[in-house]
Amino acid sequence: MRCSCRECGTYMIQAESERLGCVCPECGNRCRDCLGTDTVVPRDQLAKLASDPRFSPESLAETFESPADGYDDEEDGGF
């Protein structure tokens, strides 16, 4: 992952070391924010997502359908 340093705003890259996370090349700040670490969803909340209509197969399939307005990215070269 890549993100901005919350200390100085410099573009950070993932560290290539035994500690997961990003390291700022400017100030040396380390973070794991973009990895989602230290954020655990309890088992009961995760089970509730299975019945959430936002995650039904039909709802997810709609996400990948073409836009209803008929706009086609390929008509203008993808720009």
Side-chain angles (χ1 to χ4, degrees):
M1 297 295 296
R2 295 181 174 137
C3 55
S4 296
C5 177
R6 58 183 144 149
E7 299 296 322
C8 69
T10 301
Y11 183 69
M12 298 177 15
I13 59 171
Q14 190 170 358
E16 300 266 340
S17 68
E18 68 280 352
R19 288 178 50 204
L20 292 177
C22 293
V23 177
C24 177
E26 193 66 32
C27 70
N29 179 52
R30 295 182 74 95
C31 79
R32 300 181 305 187
D33 295 346
C34 62
L35 297 176
T37 53
D38 298 329
T39 56
V40 177
V41 177
R43 183 174 283 215
D44 60 328
Q45 286 182 349
L46 188 59
K48 288 179 186 177
L49 292 177
S51 61
D52 189 322
R54 295 175 296 168
F55 302 110
S56 71
E58 296 80 19
S59 179
L60 292 174
E62 289 175 10
T63 304
F64 298 102
E65 291 177 0
S66 297
D69 62 7
Y71 179 77
D72 185 6
D73 284 343
E74 292 181 13
E75 286 180 9
D76 63 358
F79 298 104

